[in-house]
Structures are given as structure tokens and as C-alpha cells.
């Protein structure tokens, strides 16, 4: 039996290595994956994406005040999750020589791409877990699948937005590939053990994301910092203007405010789910409905304002 298992393990490792090599070195791997700005502004994006959170200016201001919100660990699993993520965060800062006092645009590119490419993994896995659980138990999910899917897509749209600002080559692509290879099985494993552990871990991960984005926003509004000089007047990517329903003259720092607000929302959602039983219904369904109605109202007002005046 041990020989059989070793052979299977050898086959699995070989296949995985081959897949990784193909992903890294296939003919188009050295192309930049920056997306053309003029071809990604889709006015009908809601036809193929879920309804994302639509933030008001007052909500953005209130969310910015919560950048230091932190759920204190109360269980052993909480301490393990928070300690592991905080250690990884600090280690990454040290290895990359990250300067919190005055980071460069290049250092932030690496952090934002890796952060968003990893952050989109756990909610999608959680949605899959809830989906299979519903099928297996022949029962209603309680409305939580939608919330996880919306979060996963929202993180992916953050990444799409970043890719319209930054350029990423083979090295960055390989880093994302490796990060997903590590994050995906860990997330599935946590779901199988206890889903609330994954929710708590994501909540702490989002706390670190809030810390990162609040730092970025602070520097983007300080004329003496490198990020201000590089980004303060950079136009917002077309996809972000449509996705968050922004004014046409919005800038990249404006977009970062919305991304930051999204991250605070994800933080609070996951900490909420971490305190619920897997059988509890989604307490956020009313919020989804209100957001849907708000986004429809904004779209309707835009359509009315763009209609030409009828001739009398």
C-alpha cells in the first residue's frame, strides 16, 4: 500500500509541476497582461456581473474612520489565524523592504496585485462549500451563497481595475500562480474542518487589507510622498468608472477610496459569518436588496440625464 501511495504522490507532484511549468513558460507568458484601457469600459457590465455595493460619499467618509477596527481573538483558532496572518504580513514587508513611511508606486503594485489575487480565493471557495452543502443536505442555503459570490467577484474586479493601472510580467504571474496553489487547498481544508475558521481568517486578512489601503490613501493625499506625485492626477480606469458608477473625471485615488470601502465591508461580513452557525440564515439579505434598489435608481437617473431633450 505504501508503494502504491508513493507512486500516486509522485504522479500528482509530477503533473502539478508540469502544469506549473506550462503556466509559466507557455508562449504568451512574457506578454504584459495590462488590459487596453479603451476596450474595457463596458456600459452594460451589470449584464454579466453581480450587483456590487454602491457607496455614497457619506458612507465612504464613515468607512474611512473604521480603518483600525479589529476583532480581538477570543478562541485558540482566532489567535492562530490572526497570528499567522500578521506574521506573514510583517514577513512580507521585511522581505520586500517595504517602506511604510514613503512607499514607491512599484512596491504598491506588487502588494495590490498579490493581495487582490489572493483575496478573491476564499469567498469563492466558501460559496462552493455552501453550494455543495445545500445540495448534499437537500436544503435551502439561507441566502449566504450570493454574499460570498458577490465578495469573490468584487475582489476580482479590484484586480481587473489594478491591471488597467499596472503592468505585470512573468514573475508576477508566477507569484500569483504559486499564491493560489497554496491558498486554495488551505481554504478548502479549513472549510472541511470548520467554515467559521475560514470566515475569521478572511476577516483578519481584510483587516490587513484595510491597513494597506488606508496607508495608500494617506500617502496619495500628501504632496511630499511618492504616491501622491505618481498617482494624484492619474485618471481612473474605465472599468472602475462603470463598476462603481463614478464621475467620468474621477482619478485613481478616487477609485482607491471605493476599493478601501469594499474591503471594510468584506472585513465586517466575514467576522459576522464567523460568529454564526452554518445553519443560520444570511443577516445581510435586506442590505443586498437595498443596494440593488439603490444601484437601479442611480442607473435610472443617469439614463434620464443622458436623454436628449425632445423637440417641442
Amino acid at each position: 500500500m505504501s508503494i502504491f501511495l508513493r507512486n500516486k504522490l509522485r504522479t500528482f507532484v509530477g503533473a502539478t509541476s508540469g502544469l506549473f511549468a506550462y503556466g509559466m513558460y507557455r508562449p504568451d507568458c512574457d506578454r504584459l497582461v495590462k488590459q487596453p484601457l479603451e476596450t474595457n469600459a463596458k456600459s452594460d457590465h451589470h449584464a454579466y456581473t453581480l450587483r456590487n455595493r454602491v457607496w455614497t460619499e457619506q458612507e465612504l467618509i464613515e468607512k474611512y474612520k473604521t480603518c483600525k477596527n479589529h476583532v480581538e481573538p477570543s478562541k485558540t483558532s482566532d489567535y492562530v489565524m490572526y497570528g499567522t496572518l500578521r506574521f506573514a504580513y510583517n514577513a512580507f514587508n521585511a522581505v520586500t523592504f517595504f517602506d511604510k513611511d514613503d512607499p514607491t508606486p512599484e512596491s504598491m503594485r506588487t502588494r495590490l496585485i498579490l493581495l487582490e489575487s489572493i483575496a478573491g480565493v476564499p469567498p469563492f471557495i466558501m460559496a462552493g462549500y455552501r453550494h455543495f452543502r445545500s445540495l448534499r443536505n437537500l436544503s435551502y442555503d439561507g441566502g449566504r451563497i450570493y454574499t460570498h459570490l458577490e465578495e469573490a467577484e468584487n475582489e476580482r474586479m479590484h484586480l481587473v481595475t489594478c491591471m488597467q493601472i499596472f503592468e505585470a510580467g512573468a514573475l508576477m504571474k508566477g507569484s500569483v500562480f504559486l499564491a493560489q496553489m497554496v491558498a486554495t487547498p488551505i481554504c478548502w481544508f479549513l472549510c472541511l474542518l470548520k467554515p467559521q475558521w475560514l470566515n475569521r481568517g478572511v476577516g483578519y486578512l481584510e483587516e490587513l487589507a484595510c491597513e494597506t489601503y488606508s496607508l495608500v490613501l494617506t500617502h496619495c493625499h500628501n504632496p511630499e510622498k511618492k504616491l501622491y506625485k505618481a498617482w494624484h492626477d492619474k485618471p481612473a480606469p474605465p472599468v472602475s468608472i462603470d463598476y462603481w458608477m463614478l464621475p467620468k473625471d474621477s482619478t485613481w485615488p478616487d477609485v482607491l477610496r471605493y476599493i478601501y470601502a469594499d474591503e471594510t465591508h468584506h472585513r465586517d461580513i466575514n467576522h459576522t459569518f464567523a460568529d454564526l452557525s452554518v445553519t443560520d440564515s444570511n443577516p445581510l439579505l435586506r442590505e443586498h436588496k437595498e443596494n440593488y434598489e439603490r444601484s437601479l435608481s442611480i442607473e435610472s437617473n443617469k439614463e434620464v440625464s443622458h436623454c436628449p431633450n425632445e423637440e417641442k
Side-chain angles (χ1 to χ4, degrees), residues 53-70:
R53 177 78 181 188
V54 179
W55 301 103
T56 65
E57 181 61 28
Q58 184 59 37
E59 287 174 335
L60 292 175
I61 295 174
E62 292 299 322
K63 285 295 184 181
Y64 192 75
K65 297 177 182 178
T66 70
C67 63
K68 294 184 179 181
N69 282 15
H70 170 60

Side-chain angles (χ1 to χ4, degrees), residues 16-28:
T16 303
S17 301
L19 180 62
F20 174 74
Y22 171 75
M24 279 294 295
Y25 297 107
R26 66 180 186 269
D28 64 341

Side-chain angles (χ1 to χ4, degrees), residues 262-286:
D262 288 341
E263 302 295 3
T264 63
H265 195 50
H266 299 162
R267 174 198 63 199
D268 298 338
I269 286 175
N270 280 279
H271 281 314
T272 297
F273 284 157
D275 293 329
L276 299 178
S277 167
V278 293
T279 59
D280 290 338
S281 296
N282 189 352
L284 305 172
L285 291 179
R286 179 181 295 275

Side-chain angles (χ1 to χ4, degrees), residues 1 37 50 52-54 89 96 101 116 128 133 142 150 157 177 183 195 201 216 219 235 239 246 269 273 295 302 306:
M1 180 61 70
L37 294 180
L50 299 174
N52 55 294
R53 177 78 181 188
V54 179
Y89 182 77
T96 57
D101 294 329
E116 299 300 348
R133 181 181 179 278
E150 193 277 329
M157 292 304 293
F177 191 96
V216 172
H219 291 317
V239 70
L246 304 178
I269 286 175
F273 284 157
S295 64
K302 282 187 175 183
H306 291 161

Side-chain angles (χ1 to χ4, degrees), residues 292-311:
Y292 178 78
E293 293 173 347
R294 181 192 295 182
S295 64
L296 287 181
S297 176
I298 294 176
E299 287 183 352
S300 177
N301 291 336
K302 282 187 175 183
E303 290 177 0
V304 171
S305 63
H306 291 161
C307 287
N309 295 328
E310 295 182 1
E311 295 183 2

Side-chain angles (χ1 to χ4, degrees), residues 192-211:
L192 293 176
L193 290 179
K194 193 171 184 179
Q196 291 92 332
W197 291 354
L198 179 58
N199 286 130
R200 185 68 76 197
V202 175
Y204 287 136
L205 177 64
E206 296 296 353
E207 287 183 8
L208 298 176
C210 293
E211 184 177 322

